[in-house]
Amino acid sequence: MDDRRGLTVPAARIEVRRLDPAPDLAVLAAASTADLVWLDSALPDGAPATARPRARWSVLAWTDGPFASRFHHQDRRAHRTVAAPAAAWFGPTGSDDRPAFAALADLLARTPHLPGAVAGCGFALGWVGFLGYELGRESGGPDRTADGHADADLRFVDRAVVVDHAGGAWALALVADAEPAASARNRAWLESVPTSTASADPGEVPPGLPDGVATARVSRAAYQDAVDACRAEIREGNAFQVCLTTAFAVGREARAGSGADAHLLEYLRMRAADPVPFGAWLRLGPLRVASRSPERFLRIDAAGTVLAEPIKGTRPRLVDPAADAAERDELATSAKDRAENVMIVDLLRNDLLRTALPGSVHVERLCDVETYASVHQMVSTIGAVLPERTSRADVVRAAFPPGSMTGAPKISAMAIADRLEGAPRGVYSGAIGYFSASGAVDLSVVIRTLVTVLDDAGSVRSRTLGAGGAVTWSSVAADEADEVETKTRSVLGSVGAVVSW
């Protein structure tokens, strides 16, 4: 026991059950009606060895356990919904007007420390969910809030299954001696997790959306005009690079078989077509988030070592092998794409310097090209080391939003993009992942992500896919619009939608 803010805090630990054979997490997700977070890692055949560590672990976390609690930030207020057995850790249910990252730092400080339960896996239960782009207002970004949903939604989860794609799977459950009834429920759940060789089959679901069309928020001509407006700002010295985005409205209903979760089945089609290291599917209240992101935002291990892996530079895969290889080589030697990537590397070095040990920030690799199922991408890696007891929330806040989605300098670039886009981005351009009770953090950049918002009756209010690209002085407006189309089709093509722009 320890004493925290006058509360007697019960000790907690993780109990583990090895699952053999390893279950298909898609089958487990489909069997649940609870809110859940699925961090879904995979790689296509032939992916580079450098990408494999990023795609080793997948996590499926349920939000209906006896200790499960919620933190969300909406309308500039921090809201906590705390399960009774967890009140000694997190305090009572309530809300206040604190900034999101300050409230999150407090919750992380109150979270019981749980050492890693599975060797090599950073996730040891804890907080999972998303941080939306509009939280950037807390670090100098535009003063907006998301439309129709929270700016951040994180759940403290006490039940999860983790899968090691190098071999092995485990169920994790939280127990606390001071809460015998809650602990007994979690032990019973631990024994109930099925092991099976059955796999989900998205091929049984008719492909496509009702109208088969994804319609852009602005016309292609208007987007190209905005690219030229960014170039004018760059010419005036107001930025070096601006990440300019738009959004595509997708058909309002996904197709599914009787009794199935249509949005989950749609995600399964997306993942079958495009394996990526940072896929995710979230069912959180009114949100359904289907993400096919290849990009890590930040990883912090329990000892305080940090990695950022920004992507800047994208080319489509081509059917003809020779033409595809030429496309990859063109990206690798593109002066424009290398310049974009290096600018964001410098930005992230500066972001990490705010919380890292002096002298520890370094570039591990610069402008490598990695190949995925639908695109070639240019990736760099920046590392750093944190001082002891550094709040993980402070580290994320100092680097938020992800620099690859803002441009440089960050504050000026965000202001320019916001003026030209004229709308909040919401989940898109933010981060998805976990703040583990071990002190580890792993967050992806929310790109190539279909976001569905439901109304109070459960009907679809909106379904959108955000897409964009980095604008520099050397950008050509038509080429930037082509890149947006490439990224949009890489996601929507798997569900049969045609891009209308």
Side-chain angles (χ1 to χ4, degrees):
M1 300 252 183
D2 64 19
D3 186 75
R4 191 178 296 152
R5 301 194 179 194
L7 298 172
T8 300
V9 182
R13 63 184 182 278
I14 298 175
E15 294 193 356
V16 181
R17 174 188 163 211
R18 186 178 177 99
L19 305 176
D20 189 16
D24 184 336
L25 295 185
V27 173
L28 296 184
S32 174
T33 58
D35 282 3
L36 54 82
V37 172
W38 180 13
L39 306 177
D40 175 31
S41 294
L43 283 177
D45 294 339
T50 52
R52 297 200 176 280
R54 300 203 296 275
R56 180 177 172 184
W57 296 95
S58 289
V59 175
L60 180 62
W62 289 261
T63 69
D64 59 347
F67 297 95
S69 300
R70 181 188 186 195
F71 164 68
H72 71 287
H73 207 269
Q74 189 161 8
D75 299 325
R76 298 181 177 83
R77 288 185 62 80
H79 304 269
R80 301 172 309 283
T81 305
V82 180
W89 299 324
F90 307 130
T93 293
S95 63
D96 55 60
D97 59 2
R98 283 182 298 168
F101 285 108
L104 176 58
D106 178 60
L107 283 174
L108 294 181
R110 289 170 169 259
T111 299
H113 177 75
L114 301 173
V118 177
C121 182
F123 182 72
L125 302 177
W127 298 89
V128 298
F130 76 88
L131 305 172
Y133 179 80
E134 274 63 50
L135 292 188
R137 65 178 178 268
E138 298 185 9
S139 52
D143 188 17
R144 287 189 184 270
T145 60
D147 182 15
H149 59 80
D151 289 321
D153 196 339
L154 295 170
R155 309 299 178 91
F156 179 78
V157 292
D158 58 350
R159 299 172 173 178
V161 170
V162 298
V163 172
D164 182 356
H165 297 294
W170 297 263
L172 314 179
L174 182 69
V175 299
D177 292 340
E179 295 291 344
S183 298
R185 287 174 56 193
N186 270 355
R187 288 190 179 100
W189 174 86
L190 195 67
E191 294 305 315
S192 73
V193 178
T195 59
S196 171
T197 56
S199 297
D201 183 6
E204 295 178 357
V205 184
L209 300 166
D211 57 8
V213 175
T215 305
R217 185 173 63 208
V218 299
S219 68
R220 180 184 172 101
Y223 186 83
Q224 293 183 182
D225 288 345
V227 170
D228 287 333
C230 290
R231 294 182 68 247
E233 294 280 359
I234 292 167
R235 183 184 61 235
E236 294 299 315
N238 297 326
F240 304 113
Q241 179 185 143
V242 178
C243 184
L244 181 69
T245 78
T246 186
F248 292 78
V250 187
R252 288 190 171 240
E253 297 292 344
R255 295 179 181 176
S258 176
D261 185 316
H263 305 287
L264 174 58
L265 291 170
E266 184 173 76
Y267 173 71
L268 298 184
R269 293 200 297 276
M270 293 166 63
R271 78 192 287 260
D274 191 17
V276 293
F278 298 105
W281 191 74
L282 284 64
R283 180 167 59 212
L284 296 176
L287 280 177
R288 304 292 182 270
V289 180
S291 181
R292 302 308 302 153
S293 175
E295 182 175 1
R296 169 177 275 144
F297 171 34
L298 289 177
R299 189 200 76 186
I300 309 171
D301 68 17
T305 300
V306 186
L307 278 182
E309 296 182 290
I311 290 173
K312 271 294 165 224
T314 304
R315 296 291 187 278
R317 296 296 307 275
L318 302 178
V319 174
D320 178 71
D324 189 57
E327 194 81 359
R328 188 185 192 282
D329 291 344
E330 192 278 328
L331 174 60
T333 57
S334 167
K336 174 185 178 293
D337 289 291
R338 290 182 69 87
E340 290 179 7
N341 197 291
V342 169
M343 286 181 199
I344 298 307
V345 167
D346 284 343
L347 175 64
L348 275 165
R349 288 173 65 242
N350 181 68
D351 287 346
L352 295 180
L353 278 167
R354 298 178 184 179
T355 53
L357 285 170
S360 72
V361 177
H362 61 283
V363 178
E364 295 189 359
R365 61 176 179 147
L366 188 64
C367 298
D368 277 359
V369 174
E370 295 183 350
T371 294
Y372 294 90
S374 60
V375 292
H376 304 288
Q377 300 195 135
M378 186 175 284
V379 187
S380 295
T381 302
I382 306 101
V385 178
L386 301 177
E388 290 186 15
R389 295 182 293 279
T390 300
S391 168
R392 298 333 192 214
D394 291 346
V395 178
V396 174
R397 179 186 178 278
F400 198 86
S404 60
M405 299 308 296
T406 63
K410 181 178 278 188
I411 293 175
S412 177
M414 284 194 291
I416 293 166
D418 181 70
R419 175 174 58 81
L420 293 171
E421 294 172 16
R425 296 185 186 179
V427 180
Y428 172 62
S429 297
I432 290 173
Y434 65 74
F435 292 82
S436 173
S438 68
V441 176
D442 208 351
L443 300 170
S444 68
V445 179
V446 185
I447 54 177
R448 309 202 194 146
T449 297
L450 185 61
V451 178
T452 302
V453 183
L454 307 179
D455 62 21
D456 292 341
S459 298
V460 174
R461 177 186 173 202
S462 65
R463 282 164 50 82
T464 57
L465 181 90
V471 179
T472 66
W473 172 244
S474 60
S475 290
V476 176
D479 293 345
E480 296 297 335
D482 286 345
E483 183 174 336
V484 168
E485 288 192 33
T486 294
K487 293 172 178 176
T488 302
R489 290 196 175 101
S490 74
V491 176
L492 296 183
S494 63
V495 292
V498 176
V499 177
S500 175
W501 199 8

